[in-house]
Amino acid sequence: MGRHIPFDRVHNFRDTGGYPAADGRTVRWGRFYRSDSLGKLAGEDWERFLDLGVRTVIDLRYGWEIEGAGRVPDHPSLAWHHLSVEHRPYDQPGLGPDVDPAPYLVARYGEVAHDGAAELRRALEVIADPGAGPVVIHCMSGKDRTGLLAALVLALLGVPDDDIVADFALTGLARDRLLADWRAAHGGRSPGWPGYGRAPAEVMRLFLDGLRRKYGSVGAYAEAVLGVGDDLVTALRERLLAPAPPVFRRAGTADLPALVRLRDDAARWQLAHGIDQWLPGQLGEDHFRRRLADGEVWLASAAPGGPPVGAWELWWDDPAAWGPQPPVAGYVHRLMTDRSAAPPGTGRQLLAEAERRIAEAGRELCRLDCLAGNERLRAYYLAAGYRVVGEQAAKDGGLGGSPYAVTLMEKRLLPA
């Protein structure tokens, strides 16, 4: 995933996804963006923005800034929230060269953290709302007000300080373009303050340290000043954190009962949802014992040593569906999850691990088949990057039943 998202006129648009957070989870990609002014969106930039699927924009600027520079364009898919978090205006470009950026900006951030308590809390509530969809927060340059709110969100998600500080400092990569915009808007002259537009890592580190010295933690500050309780923090984490990746291991004979249970439970779920593909009791321990001997069977647990929440079979050839083939692919079968215990997205994580294992073995394709006419499952694999490459009209699955038609799908893998 790319953190910086390129636009022609918007210079500091970033995805906060991928940072490690609480309980071994990570910040989701494509959920929480930060940016400089979105009033600059037009033409192809506007189309790129809409393609991201953003549904909520939080504008942290003063009203007079919006009047002068414009706001994000109106669109039926967008909710716009104006929450001006800064209550004491200051003129950064007009500061003298003797002003040290770090202590000066830390003091201003401290003012915003207290003056803007109501707006900051409201912003957190909007971001945590399950109906908000992907959210972008922004001010003029996407550095100070945006940086402060982004830091609060990431800290409440459990992201370590080092990552929060590094995320703040990334604005430095956009500084030249932001300065060029400022000069163009001010007759070509340069700002008087050499520190204008800079985002020194020291600023954010000192700000976070100051909150901790005064309140004990960022969470304690949020509770004492913003009125943020455990319910709101939990909602933020549910919205913005991806589940911790499963723990994978090769199955052995001791796992045969668990494999049968997973398969039977998956079959019951399919039948309950109108999918006529698997039947409970169709495969017993003998089937999985043969697969352990002939190929690989993998298990996934939510935590080390925990019970299995998913499994799949990995074959190195599949003549019943694909006919004789050169050794260029691995074949995934019986991808299954425990719907009562597996977090959302576990199936995709299992598939990604199977793909990684196949690439690690030096093969370039992951192949699978699904029952012809199962449009729901076909759509699932298409969304995961697979393409339809054929149909097998009468596959003999060796399960003691009649031959059945399957759709053949494959995905080209990157080298391990």
Side-chain angles (χ1 to χ4, degrees), residues 243-375:
V247 178
F248 300 104
R249 65 178 177 85
R250 287 280 292 270
T253 55
D255 299 305
L256 293 174
L259 289 165
V260 173
R261 177 187 59 79
L262 277 170
R263 207 274 182 179
D264 284 350
D265 287 348
R268 293 187 187 96
W269 182 90
Q270 288 183 6
L271 290 173
H273 289 78
I275 302 171
D276 186 12
Q277 182 162 352
W278 292 358
L279 297 175
Q282 193 175 33
L283 298 183
E285 292 187 10
D286 286 346
H287 166 83
F288 290 106
R289 187 177 288 108
R290 288 194 299 272
R291 295 320 311 165
L292 291 174
D294 296 341
E296 300 178 10
V297 182
W298 287 83
L299 289 169
S301 300
V309 297
W312 76 93
E313 298 175 11
L314 179 55
W315 302 7
W316 296 110
D317 62 1
D318 185 8
W322 294 81
Q325 294 285 327
V328 296
Y331 302 83
V332 174
H333 287 272
R334 272 168 281 284
L335 186 78
M336 49 197 178
T337 60
D338 182 344
R339 297 278 176 165
S340 66
T346 298
R348 187 68 66 86
Q349 291 177 311
L350 268 59
L351 190 57
E353 177 64 13
E355 294 164 1
R356 188 200 64 78
R357 173 73 186 93
I358 292 167
E360 188 179 66
R363 302 201 178 190
E364 62 191 50
L365 297 169
C366 181
R367 288 175 172 163
L368 49 83
D369 63 71
C370 66
L371 190 68
N374 189 338
E375 293 300 326

Side-chain angles (χ1 to χ4, degrees), residues 45-359:
D45 274 0
W46 177 235
E47 296 303 320
R48 293 187 191 108
F49 176 80
L50 292 177
D51 286 344
L52 293 173
V54 171
R55 292 293 173 263
T56 301
V57 174
I58 300 176
D59 192 330
L60 304 174
R61 297 173 297 168
Y62 290 102
W64 55 265
E65 290 177 295
I66 296 171
E67 290 176 8
R71 49 153 285 186
V72 67
D74 282 318
H75 192 272
S77 69
L78 280 180
W80 181 69
H81 298 264
H82 179 211
L83 298 169
S84 181
V85 296
E86 190 177 273
H87 293 196
R88 302 184 223 182
Y90 60 99
D91 180 19
Q92 283 195 34
L95 296 174
D98 57 334
V99 176
D100 186 341
Y104 181 81
L105 289 175
V106 170
R108 304 291 77 74
Y109 290 11
E111 292 171 356
V112 173
H114 293 82
D115 295 350
E119 292 84 2
L120 289 170
R121 178 190 167 86
R122 179 58 187 147
L124 294 174
E125 291 172 342
V126 171
I127 295 165
D129 184 347
V135 176
V136 57
I137 62 173
H138 79 94
C139 52
M140 285 299 289
S141 66
K143 176 173 74 78
D144 299 314
R145 290 163 286 187
T146 298
L148 185 152
L149 178 55
L152 291 180
V153 171
L154 294 176
L156 292 173
L157 295 178
V159 174
D161 278 8
D162 286 350
D163 290 316
I164 297 172
V165 169
D167 183 77
F168 171 79
L170 286 175
T171 290
L173 299 177
R175 184 177 184 238
D176 289 347
R177 297 180 73 194
L178 293 168
L179 277 173
D181 277 0
W182 192 92
R183 293 188 184 106
H186 293 82
R189 63 185 178 91
S190 295
W193 187 38
Y196 178 71
R198 290 180 55 201
E202 181 186 12
V203 172
M204 183 52 65
R205 194 170 295 283
L206 288 172
F207 171 67
L208 294 172
D209 287 348
L211 290 183
R212 289 200 171 88
R213 279 195 306 273
K214 186 169 183 179
Y215 296 99
S217 68
V218 176
Y221 149 78
E223 182 176 10
V225 178
L226 308 184
V228 171
D230 290 343
D231 288 351
L232 183 49
V233 174
T234 298
L236 277 171
R237 292 182 176 183
E238 288 301 309
R239 273 268 293 140
L240 298 182
L241 295 185
V247 178
F248 300 104
R249 65 178 177 85
R250 287 280 292 270
T253 55
D255 299 305
L256 293 174
L259 289 165
V260 173
R261 177 187 59 79
L262 277 170
R263 207 274 182 179
D264 284 350
D265 287 348
R268 293 187 187 96
W269 182 90
Q270 288 183 6
L271 290 173
H273 289 78
I275 302 171
D276 186 12
Q277 182 162 352
W278 292 358
L279 297 175
Q282 193 175 33
L283 298 183
E285 292 187 10
D286 286 346
H287 166 83
F288 290 106
R289 187 177 288 108
R290 288 194 299 272
R291 295 320 311 165
L292 291 174
D294 296 341
E296 300 178 10
V297 182
W298 287 83
L299 289 169
S301 300
V309 297
W312 76 93
E313 298 175 11
L314 179 55
W315 302 7
W316 296 110
D317 62 1
D318 185 8
W322 294 81
Q325 294 285 327
V328 296
Y331 302 83
V332 174
H333 287 272
R334 272 168 281 284
L335 186 78
M336 49 197 178
T337 60
D338 182 344
R339 297 278 176 165
S340 66
T346 298
R348 187 68 66 86
Q349 291 177 311
L350 268 59
L351 190 57
E353 177 64 13
E355 294 164 1
R356 188 200 64 78
R357 173 73 186 93
I358 292 167

Side-chain angles (χ1 to χ4, degrees), residues 12-33:
N12 197 16
F13 198 108
R14 309 202 301 267
D15 193 331
T16 63
Y19 292 121
D23 306 323
R25 293 180 286 176
T26 58
V27 181
R28 292 181 187 272
W29 292 99
R31 281 290 176 89
F32 181 47
Y33 299 101

Side-chain angles (χ1 to χ4, degrees), residues 362-407:
R363 302 201 178 190
E364 62 191 50
L365 297 169
C366 181
R367 288 175 172 163
L368 49 83
D369 63 71
C370 66
L371 190 68
N374 189 338
E375 293 300 326
R376 183 171 178 174
L377 188 57
R378 175 173 167 152
Y380 178 86
Y381 288 125
L382 288 172
Y386 286 77
R387 65 188 186 96
V388 175
V389 294
E391 301 282 340
Q392 167 64 276
K395 176 184 175 182
D396 179 3
L399 303 179
S402 302
Y404 51 94
V406 296
T407 300

